[in-house]
Amino acid sequence: MVLKQPWWIPPKLQKRKKPQHSFSVCTGSMKQSYVQLRRVFMEEEALINKKLPKELLLRIFSWLDVVSLCRSAQVSKAWNILALDGSNWQRIDLFDFQRDVEGPVIENISRRCGGFLRKLSLKGCQSIADGSMKLFAQLCNNVEDLNLDGCKKITDSTCQALSRHCPKLQRMDLRSCIEITDLSLKALADGCPSLTHINIAWCENVTQNGIEALARGCPKLRSFMCMGCARVNDSAISVLAEHCPNLEVVNLSGCVNITDESVLRMAENCHGLHYLCLSGCTMLSDASLIVLAQQCHLLSTLEVAGCSQFTDAGFQALARSCRLLEKMDLEECILITDTTLMHLGMGCPRLEKLSLSHCELITDEGIRHLGMSPCAAENLTVLELDNCPLITDASLDNLVSCHNLQRIDLYDCQLITHTGIRRLRSNLPNILVHAYFAPATPPPAVGSTRQRVCRCCVIL
């Protein structure tokens, strides 16, 4: 599986031939130095090649990234063989190297790496299609982690090939693979029983049938991400919770058809949940928060932006039981008041990041409770208060005890002033403040018939 040349090298890394007269003006000493340097990298002269065994050299090369391996392959014949050995290509991530790769690149990777390859990321490689991935599945049947995020040409055929040839697959990212349907999930369920992590975000063709089949065939699932899958319903999530009790990470953002029933089933069966995103699930009520409080005491991250039916009662129950909460996104939970902040401040001492943007009932009193809470002095690092119209400079004064506060967002908080921000920065000099103050509308010109310039035009 060793080729003499790398299969692709960016133009800026390609070795260019020097003109024959390039050293005609060199002095004798320069010529001698060049000859010595060249001899150092010759296979028969290089000490590193003579003194170290091949196994150790391969171990050294295994720490190099894709670019470094390609460069090393151009140094000498010996290094070419070492750099392009399949054992050095067990984990390949093309995202930061070259995203416009074509199918032949993947085919050459497959032939070179074979059974060595464990992890491959093709994130953003939109030119990759089923043909190349079918060959990959046949040759790299020990792959455990495959990222196809944004590979829009991939269809069910790829997942069916993976099902037939890659039984060790554990992590699968199909985010934004818009051609994927239930057939892919059914194939993975049949052939990849060791699957622990799957991301099918924005795969809009996935329905209840596919998720139920996946849940029954992959009971080891620990992470399930299906943001934006509007066709997911309570039945799908109930089956998922029943057959995958080890779930720890669940993201149902934008799954607008789920109700409290889904959260109830997850809470009853998946007590190890520590990350849960329900943002945009507008049909949920306080019943969801209450059952999470009763069953999921390990929750550390809860995102419920846009869940406009949640009230203080639900968050009060949550704060009493989920004392490990570190990150909470409550944006557009429009019914909550200062009472929620009082309970979160007292019940969640580990709270680090809190978003209250567009929670228009929050006042200075709620921020005062938060600033005096156990979490404030030690842990609170990010506080988002965009579009909280009742917040004034008094709130900023109540946050000066939050010594670890790194960022505060105050966009469209019209009662916040420059003076209040300067006072906050004088106490917390390292804090990053995001705020916006609209420019004053200019007065009309005297004696002019032109219409007064509006504020929008000033901004533009």
Side-chain angles (χ1 to χ4, degrees):
M1 295 193 300
V2 177
L3 301 180
K4 292 186 177 180
Q5 294 296 332
W7 57 88
W8 88 99
I9 301 172
K12 62 181 180 180
L13 299 181
Q14 291 179 2
K15 194 173 183 180
R16 297 180 179 178
K17 293 183 179 180
K18 295 183 180 295
Q20 294 180 357
H21 61 278
S22 59
F23 291 96
S24 60
V25 295
C26 295
T27 63
S29 60
M30 291 177 64
K31 289 182 179 179
Q32 185 178 6
S33 299
Y34 171 73
V35 172
Q36 291 176 346
L37 182 62
R38 185 176 180 183
R39 290 179 61 190
V40 167
F41 292 107
M42 293 296 289
E43 181 180 5
E44 63 274 15
E45 296 292 339
L47 288 177
I48 189 173
N49 297 335
K50 296 172 63 176
K51 297 294 185 181
L52 297 180
K54 179 182 177 181
E55 292 76 13
L56 184 54
L57 288 170
L58 284 173
R59 178 62 175 168
I60 295 172
F61 275 82
S62 69
W63 292 94
L64 301 181
D65 58 22
V66 173
V67 175
S68 300
L69 285 170
C70 287
R71 287 172 174 167
S72 300
Q74 300 174 77
V75 171
S76 68
K77 180 180 178 181
W79 279 31
N80 180 281
I81 295 173
L82 291 169
L84 301 183
D85 189 275
S87 64
N88 291 324
W89 299 81
Q90 297 184 37
R91 294 171 177 81
I92 303 175
D93 188 346
L94 300 183
F95 183 70
D96 294 325
F97 176 55
Q98 190 173 346
R99 268 172 271 183
D100 56 347
V101 297
E102 302 290 340
V105 172
I106 304 305
E107 294 167 14
N108 286 331
I109 288 178
S110 304
R111 295 187 183 98
R112 176 178 305 285
C113 301
F116 286 111
L117 189 63
R118 296 293 186 273
K119 178 180 180 180
L120 175 64
S121 176
L122 300 176
K123 182 180 179 180
C125 297
Q126 298 190 30
S127 298
I128 302 302
D130 291 328
S132 301
M133 293 308 301
K134 288 180 181 178
L135 180 63
F136 167 83
Q138 293 173 13
L139 299 179
C140 303
N141 50 15
N142 288 321
V143 66
E144 299 172 356
D145 188 334
L146 182 59
N147 188 340
L148 300 177
D149 181 357
C151 298
K152 298 182 183 298
K153 292 184 178 180
I154 295 298
T155 73
D156 295 327
S157 296
T158 289
C159 291
Q160 289 168 343
L162 293 169
S163 173
R164 287 192 295 269
H165 302 290
C166 304
K168 297 182 181 180
L169 193 62
Q170 297 178 16
R171 306 177 71 98
M172 186 70 179
D173 194 332
L174 295 168
R175 181 187 177 101
S176 298
C177 294
I178 55 179
E179 300 296 328
I180 292 298
T181 72
D182 290 339
L183 293 178
S184 288
L185 300 191
K186 291 177 180 178
L188 293 174
D190 291 337
C192 305
S194 298
L195 206 63
T196 58
H197 298 72
I198 189 165
N199 188 339
I200 53 172
W202 313 112
C203 295
E204 297 179 355
N205 293 319
V206 169
T207 71
Q208 164 190 343
N209 295 331
I211 293 177
E212 290 181 3
L214 181 74
R216 292 188 174 98
C218 302
K220 297 180 181 179
L221 274 180
R222 299 204 310 271
S223 174
F224 179 76
M225 317 285 278
C226 68
M227 304 85 78
C229 295
R231 300 171 72 178
V232 173
N233 57 20
D234 287 335
S235 177
I237 301 304
S238 296
V239 173
L240 180 73
E242 178 184 354
H243 290 86
C244 304
N246 297 321
L247 280 171
E248 300 173 356
V249 175
V250 175
N251 191 324
L252 303 177
S253 175
C255 297
V256 295
N257 289 319
I258 69 168
T259 70
D260 294 325
E261 179 68 19
S262 291
V263 181
L264 174 64
R265 297 304 174 206
M266 284 192 293
E268 288 179 342
N269 293 281
C270 308
H271 300 301
L273 272 178
H274 62 77
Y275 171 94
L276 180 60
C277 179
L278 300 169
S279 296
C281 300
T282 55
M283 298 175 67
L284 301 181
S285 71
D286 282 342
S288 290
L289 298 181
I290 292 172
V291 73
L292 288 172
Q294 294 171 345
Q295 304 287 348
C296 300
H297 300 159
L298 299 181
L299 266 182
S300 61
T301 299
L302 179 65
E303 299 175 5
V304 291
C307 295
S308 55
Q309 296 188 52
F310 289 164
T311 71
D312 294 331
F315 288 110
Q316 178 180 355
L318 199 70
R320 286 175 177 172
S321 302
C322 299
R323 298 183 59 82
L324 301 182
L325 280 168
E326 298 176 356
K327 301 174 184 177
M328 297 188 71
D329 184 354
L330 312 186
E331 182 174 347
E332 293 185 349
C333 291
I334 57 176
L335 297 181
I336 64 173
T337 70
D338 295 335
T339 302
T340 288
L341 294 191
M342 181 178 66
H343 289 293
L344 291 179
M346 296 304 297
C348 304
R350 298 190 181 187
L351 200 58
E352 298 177 5
K353 298 182 179 180
L354 178 62
S355 177
L356 298 168
S357 297
H358 296 271
C359 296
E360 299 184 357
L361 300 181
I362 299 297
T363 73
D364 294 333
E365 182 65 14
I367 303 300
R368 184 181 71 83
H369 283 292
L370 187 65
M372 296 172 56
S373 68
C375 72
E378 299 297 330
N379 296 314
L380 193 63
T381 59
V382 175
L383 181 60
E384 299 176 359
L385 296 170
D386 297 335
N387 290 94
C388 291
L390 302 181
I391 297 297
T392 73
D393 289 346
S395 287
L396 304 187
D397 295 335
N398 288 321
L399 293 173
V400 296
S401 60
C402 302
H403 304 299
N404 289 317
L405 196 60
Q406 300 173 7
R407 174 169 64 86
I408 184 170
D409 291 357
L410 299 166
Y411 289 119
D412 293 317
C413 293
Q414 298 180 11
L415 300 182
I416 296 293
T417 68
H418 288 286
T419 302
I421 292 176
R422 282 195 293 268
R423 196 159 55 239
L424 177 66
R425 281 177 169 161
S426 67
N427 289 278
L428 303 173
N430 296 323
I431 193 172
L432 182 64
V433 179
H434 291 162
Y436 171 76
F437 296 91
T441 303
V446 178
S448 172
T449 58
R450 293 182 60 189
Q451 186 177 6
R452 187 177 67 170
V453 179
C454 72
R455 182 173 298 179
C456 296
C457 295
V458 173
I459 296 173
L460 294 176

